[in-house]
Amino acid sequence: GDSVTQMEGPVTLSEEAFLTINCTYTATGYPSLFWYVQYPGEGLQLLLKATKADDKGSNKGFEATYRKETTSFHLEKGSVQVSDSAVYFCALSLNNAGNMLTFGGGTRLMVKP
Amino acid sequence: KAGVTQTPRYLIKTRGQQVTLSCSPISGHRSVSWYQQTPGQGLQFLFEYFSETQRNKGNFPGRFSGRQFSNSRSEMNVSTLELGDSALYLCASREEIVTDTQYFGPGTRLTVL
């Protein structure tokens, strides 16, 4: 079946460090790919998305590129802030599966001042 | 536009009871999905409703049910609560069932004692 695999956390970085959170997927078709972020005590917020191969999603300094050849959608940010501390979820949806979201396990990011 | 709203935000029940959670989607959104988030199983899809009809269902027992009203508001019900039903229940909405981007509410934290 369709699945998403994320690197396990927690990821601990100092402020202004470079961030990469790896995400790979398995899908029977051509999925749309998403990164969602969850701050403590809150629901999920859409961070960015990409709908086809080589698309780059970007938002708030975060970027991810849809790589069909490596079935990956790694999240990057050049300089993290303490306020970026949260749990990040990679997810996919398939039009032929009703577009329901399949999530990875989540990666907790902790940024220290 | 106002975001997805969920009520109540927190709920404590005892085993064997039943519970009803409510979700109001973003204005104009006709699809509502429900997800369960637990530390052990992560984020799992429960079901999706569109125009008052259940369109997709995840792998959950029949104790979990839902419905959608003509104004697109949705409720989910869990009967005969078990300790393992303790979770954050997230509702997400989107404009149409073919739209791939879903927007999440803050969730309802259910604790079963």
Side-chain angles (χ1 to χ4, degrees):
Chain A
D2 305 322
S3 65
V4 177
T5 303
Q6 289 180 237
M7 60 189 289
E8 290 204 18
V11 173
T12 304
L13 296 173
S14 297
E15 208 165 22
E16 299 184 4
F18 184 85
L19 168 70
T20 300
I21 300 178
N22 290 337
C23 170
T24 57
Y25 67 90
T26 303
T28 51
Y30 299 98
S32 293
L33 300 172
F34 305 84
W35 278 100
Y36 282 87
V37 58
Q38 186 175 38
Y39 297 100
E42 298 184 12
L44 299 175
Q45 295 180 25
L46 177 64
L47 185 58
L48 52 84
K49 63 178 268 192
T51 57
K52 61 183 188 297
D54 300 325
D55 268 2
K56 178 186 280 188
S58 61
N59 186 26
K60 299 180 182 179
F62 291 90
E63 293 183 340
T65 301
Y66 189 144
R67 300 285 187 202
K68 185 165 173 257
E69 63 277 11
T70 54
T71 62
S72 65
F73 192 55
H74 305 322
L75 182 68
E76 297 181 335
K77 187 175 185 184
S79 176
V80 293
Q81 306 300 313
V82 172
S83 57
D84 294 327
S85 298
V87 182
Y88 292 80
F89 291 92
C90 185
L92 66 82
S93 74
L94 279 162
N95 185 262
N96 62 2
N99 278 322
M100 71 180 197
L101 287 164
T102 299
F103 286 93
T107 302
R108 181 175 300 279
L109 169 66
M110 296 192 297
V111 181
K112 297 185 176 179
Chain B
K1 280 186 183 177
V4 177
T5 57
Q6 294 186 245
T7 56
R9 292 291 311 276
Y10 302 91
L11 207 48
I12 299 175
K13 292 285 188 179
T14 56
R15 276 184 302 174
Q17 287 187 309
Q18 75 164 18
V19 67
T20 299
L21 312 181
S22 180
C23 171
S24 292
I26 292 171
S27 177
H29 286 196
R30 298 197 292 162
S31 163
V32 172
S33 297
W34 289 89
Y35 293 81
Q36 182 197 63
Q37 185 178 22
T38 60
Q41 300 299 317
L43 279 152
Q44 294 184 286
F45 171 76
L46 278 156
F47 30 65
E48 178 174 27
Y49 286 85
F50 180 79
S51 293
E52 302 179 63
T53 302
Q54 187 181 90
R55 298 297 296 269
N56 285 302
K57 190 177 191 306
N59 189 24
F60 278 81
R63 300 184 297 107
F64 292 82
S65 63
R67 59 178 176 167
Q68 187 180 34
F69 301 95
S70 58
N71 62 358
S72 294
R73 190 178 69 86
S74 177
E75 289 181 347
M76 68 163 280
N77 184 275
V78 188
S79 62
T80 319
L81 284 165
E82 300 176 0
L83 295 178
D85 297 332
S86 294
L88 181 65
Y89 289 89
L90 293 164
C91 168
S93 78
R94 50 182 165 152
E95 276 189 71
E96 300 288 339
I97 204 155
V98 296
T99 308
D100 60 9
T101 303
Q102 299 187 38
Y103 298 91
F104 284 80
T108 294
R109 171 77 61 187
L110 171 65
T111 302
V112 182
L113 302 176

